[in-house]
Amino acid sequence: MEQKEKTKQVILTVEGMHCSACAKLTERSLSKKPGVKEAVVNYASSKAKVIYNPESVEVGDLIKEVKRAGYKASVFDEKQDPGERRAKETRYWLIKLISGLTFSLPMIFFMAYDFTDKLPYKDVVMPWAGIGSLIFTVPILVLVGNNFFAGFWSALKMKTFSMDSLIAIGTGTAFAASLYQMGAYYQETGQIIGMDGEKIPNLYFEVAALLITFVSLGKYLEAKAKGKTSAAIEKLMALAPKTARIKYKGEFIDVPIEKVVAGNVVMVRPGERIPVDGEVLSGYSAVDEAILTGESLPVEKNVDAKVFAGSINKTGSFEFKATRVGADTALSQIIKLIEEAQGSKAPIQDFSDKVSAVFVPTVIGLAVLAFGVWYFFLGASLTFSLLTFVAVIVIACPCALGLATPTALMVGTGKGAEYGVLIKGGEPLEMADKIQVIVFDKTGTLTNGKPEVTDFINLEPADKKMLAAVYSIEQKSEHPLAEAVVRYGQSAKVASQEVTDFEAFSGEGVRATVLGQTYLIGNRGFLERNKIKLEGTTTMERLENEGKTVMMVANKKKVLGLIAVADQPRVGAAAVIKKIQKRGIQVFMITGDNRRTAQAIAKRLGITNVLAEVFPKDKAEEIKKLQVAGLKVAMVGDGINDAPALTQADLGIAMGGGADVAIESGGVVIVGNSPEGVLTTLDLSRQTVSKIRQNMFFALFYNVLGIPIAARVFAGLGLLLKPELAGLAMALSSVSVVVNSLTLRFFKPGKYNWISSLAPLVMVIIFLGVFIEFARFSSEMGGQ
């Protein structure tokens, strides 16, 4: 028998990536390493997920491979606050930006003399502008732009190109051409400063300097905006208390949360957050579990009730036994799920990855073509042609395209968690937007999953003790329907009575004696076999036609009453079904119940497509039948006995309790068990996928608009673009994509997100206005 190959998974934090091309380069480098089975690198989250064979390669080798690609890697630390990681990245680019601005300011001062003759000492300053610009540009290239040149070199070693390649080629060309012009001027005049009060002509050191500075500005703004995309994780992590009050030698003491172990007795007072998961031992309270379920109403907690870390104790004090601590708590599992989802890829991202793979070499080719056409065919000067080459290279950096999918995915999955909907990655999020049919499991999904007494009909009004007798007898029964009767008796506050001669008949009913009277409780067949005269059968049939299970209560002679039990529809389930149907999505209900009961429940919920009398093992086959008909199918179930069907469906939506979120079978987990979560999933998916498409349009729109202008195709119309302004426009395009994704943070279930809808139009208007101003300014400068 062939032995299955061992594999492990590690998450690495990757530092130094600047765009999707960087991520692709790192991914390609890791994937080529012997022993690596799969590598997925996410630019937006700065993480690499690597599945590898531990017998062939070690984690240290993977880190070295990332370093060889030109970046820095370390094993992802789950305990580290993601806010700290983002803050570190933001500080890094802020330092770069400040350094660039500091060294660029003198060159901006030199440029000011080109615009006006009113500044004093022009004839003294301008001769030194060339040598001064050289002196100030070198530290910008070395200190601020060093990572771009390092990335360019790494890409060359991998025989590919990245965004670093474009920036390095653009700035390097401007710097080298200016250095060449300075050398030619020295050879001609013997001077390294300008003569006759003029500057050395055709020097563009400031192009290289300002280009790197503007790119650094864009990266700083991008890092700051990206930090906001992970706000959901930071918010959840902040909810976990740092200490807990545990019982030690008969007294309660405060200890660091890391010291709590399963089995500890923990006390929580009103207003405090629950530190770990557990089960209530004593006391009573109402707990706000909105962080897990998205539901604002507090949940009552009695003895044996489960409580979860991060939720807020609202009223009374209580003690509970810790059952899950550290990384095992529901809150930690949710955080882990969100992080994995944000580090995943959506299928739609394949498009941007394919575009990015061919985009950079294509742009380089276009830049060379633009230079050749202007210099060799249109007779433009070498300087004009070189600046055209640099402008095309710079304007086309595909940063915005690389940010289009992951930023929207990060915000969307984080927002879902806020409302109790855990979406396990980009694939289920995108699939939710394509669903044509939703199949709901009945029990525990559309219904409460707990039988309730709906009708208690006493056919002998004079018998006032029948309910107490039935209540007392059913307390001894283990049948699920008996539990419903017991709860009904408790709510009616009837007193228990002594029961003797109790007998249970499997699948039929029970017989017992209370206060000398013998009672039989069971189905029609049970009473007939005991030769009881049946009465009330018309009422019984009516109740059964309503989808209720009816038990008959009798003495040795006749029927005394009827008890109707039903699994009631969840509150709001019918409204959810109606809203889903309005979206043009077909709704099916699947159940193992008999067809009459199933049809009755379906009618109350407004469902016409019913799959009844289906065993759990056959549910997956019913899903497959719908898929064979060419439909995209979502299955909504409880994630346990519905696991095969959830796996078979194109999208599995598991209704799960907070403690089991990580082991559910579905691609989506609705923590609060409310059908409203299905609507939230559909709406959030639609908005997120729409946002990804908008971002991709922006990214391509900016390049389609920018490349021809940068290539000076419309120079005859006065539309030019200076390289440094092209760099700034490129940086702003990336920022606009991130900001567009951030508008998903205004998502609210059942509400129209006006800000998200209007944002694309507003940003297009703003960007076009900026672009026109840049082109006008460049034209006034003559494109030089």
Side-chain angles (χ1 to χ4, degrees), residues 347-410:
I348 196 172
Q349 192 173 339
D350 290 340
F351 171 75
S352 64
D353 288 344
K354 289 174 183 176
V355 171
S356 296
V358 299
F359 195 76
V360 176
T362 301
V363 166
I364 294 172
L366 288 173
V368 171
L369 178 64
F371 171 84
V373 169
W374 278 109
Y375 187 69
F376 293 109
F377 295 99
L378 300 178
S381 67
L382 178 62
T383 300
F384 185 93
S385 303
L386 277 174
L387 290 179
T388 302
F389 171 84
V390 173
V392 172
I393 287 284
V394 171
I395 194 67
C397 289
C399 304
L401 193 61
L403 289 165
T405 300
T407 52
L409 187 63
M410 289 174 76

Side-chain angles (χ1 to χ4, degrees), residues 19 38 286 362 463 491 502 568 577 722:
C19 69
E38 182 185 352
T362 301
D463 188 350
S491 65
F502 177 86
Q568 295 290 78
I577 298 299
K722 288 171 66 65

Side-chain angles (χ1 to χ4, degrees), residues 460-494:
E460 295 287 329
D463 188 350
K464 303 295 184 183
K465 299 178 181 179
M466 185 178 68
L467 176 57
V470 170
Y471 168 65
S472 303
I473 293 169
E474 294 290 31
Q475 281 182 306
K476 293 185 173 293
S477 175
E478 296 179 354
H479 196 279
L481 296 183
E483 293 179 15
V485 177
V486 170
R487 287 194 299 271
Y488 182 79
Q490 289 171 339
S491 65
K493 297 181 179 180
V494 297

Side-chain angles (χ1 to χ4, degrees), residues 572-584 587 605-606 679:
V576 168
I577 298 299
K578 189 174 182 180
K579 289 176 182 177
I580 291 173
Q581 290 168 335
K582 279 187 175 180
R583 286 165 169 74
V587 176
L605 292 168
L679 274 179

